[in-house]
Amino acid sequence: MTVEQIVAQVTSSSSHPNRVTFVQLRDKRLSREQSLHLGKVLRHITAQANVAFVVNDDIQLAALLQADGVHLGQEDESVSVARHVLGNDAIVGVSADCEQQIDVAIAHGADYVGVGPVFATSSKADAGDAIGEYRLRQLVEYTRSRIPVVAIGGIDATNASLCKRAGADGVAVISAIMRNENPQHAAYHLSSIMNAPNVAPLT
């Protein structure tokens, strides 16, 4: 199954309570031309499904694709540059793994922080050491609800509930959906975990 087919599957059925609600274009192996081609297809699919579409790292590519926003790493351009290029209504997320980085993201007007890697991951070679669910909980508590926290790194159906119990507002995954034999079921299962009510917090 192609990337395009998987994205179409997991974002389909706008009435389904547990579908994917956010898609990020991230593939370091692609050339600029390939990224543009794939991005245009994904932009069309997500627009039809009314699902947010953001581009990883590349503000200019996000602008070319008329994406809803961009996700920035610590080595990327600033939130203010993203706002200048994409507009004030753009979604701008920032990766963070410590209190200082969260403070900077909030001060600069980020819409959310991606915190992790929570667990060991093979999807990103430079991800760094896993911080674990208890460190995730510390960082969620540190934000004091000032900004949404999305848990990233090594997350799948076996550990997503730990992120939920740590207080994360959402989870970002790659392999758990893209390498699953049934991507749609995997997406629905993960979403149902994160949407579950009355989950006991970590102690």
Side-chain angles (χ1 to χ4, degrees):
M1 193 178 300
T2 67
V3 170
E4 298 94 320
Q5 290 171 328
I6 292 173
V7 172
Q9 260 198 16
V10 302
T11 58
S12 64
S13 184
S14 60
S15 62
H16 198 291
N18 292 321
R19 69 170 183 154
V20 165
T21 57
F22 204 97
V23 172
Q24 180 185 131
L25 172 61
R26 180 189 183 278
D27 194 331
K28 302 287 188 179
R29 302 166 299 176
L30 299 182
S31 67
R32 183 69 164 190
E33 183 177 352
Q34 290 171 323
S35 293
L36 267 172
H37 175 75
L38 177 59
K40 287 177 181 177
V41 177
L42 297 185
R43 169 70 288 187
H44 176 73
I45 293 170
T46 53
Q48 291 291 312
N50 195 28
V51 167
F53 174 63
V54 301
V55 174
N56 188 63
D57 295 347
D58 195 329
I59 296 171
Q60 297 302 325
L61 179 60
L64 287 171
L65 295 173
Q66 297 183 311
D68 296 303
V70 67
H71 183 87
L72 303 171
Q74 289 296 312
E75 305 301 321
D76 297 326
E77 293 185 275
S78 67
V79 173
S80 60
V81 170
R83 294 261 183 245
H84 177 73
V85 175
L86 302 176
N88 290 330
D89 292 334
I91 300 168
V92 182
V94 176
S95 295
D97 61 13
C98 65
E99 289 84 354
Q100 181 181 16
Q101 291 176 359
I102 289 173
D103 284 339
V104 170
I106 292 171
H108 289 179
D111 293 297
Y112 70 90
V113 288
V115 173
V118 181
F119 307 108
T121 176
S122 60
S123 296
K124 188 177 180 184
D126 59 349
D129 295 332
I131 64 172
E133 65 269 27
Y134 287 97
R135 177 60 173 154
L136 172 63
R137 183 187 65 177
Q138 287 180 341
L139 294 175
V140 169
E141 291 175 347
Y142 179 78
T143 68
R144 297 187 299 276
S145 300
R146 292 175 294 164
I147 192 171
V149 174
V150 177
I152 60 176
I155 298 165
D156 57 28
T158 68
N159 55 31
S161 62
L162 294 175
C163 298
K164 170 77 171 180
R165 293 176 62 198
D169 297 286
V171 293
V173 305
I174 300 176
S175 300
I177 291 176
M178 302 303 292
R179 296 180 185 172
N180 195 287
E181 291 183 359
N182 190 333
Q184 189 172 49
H185 174 76
Y188 286 177
H189 188 195
L190 282 164
S191 294
S192 68
I193 292 170
M194 296 306 296
N195 290 333
N198 304 320
V199 175
L202 290 175
T203 57

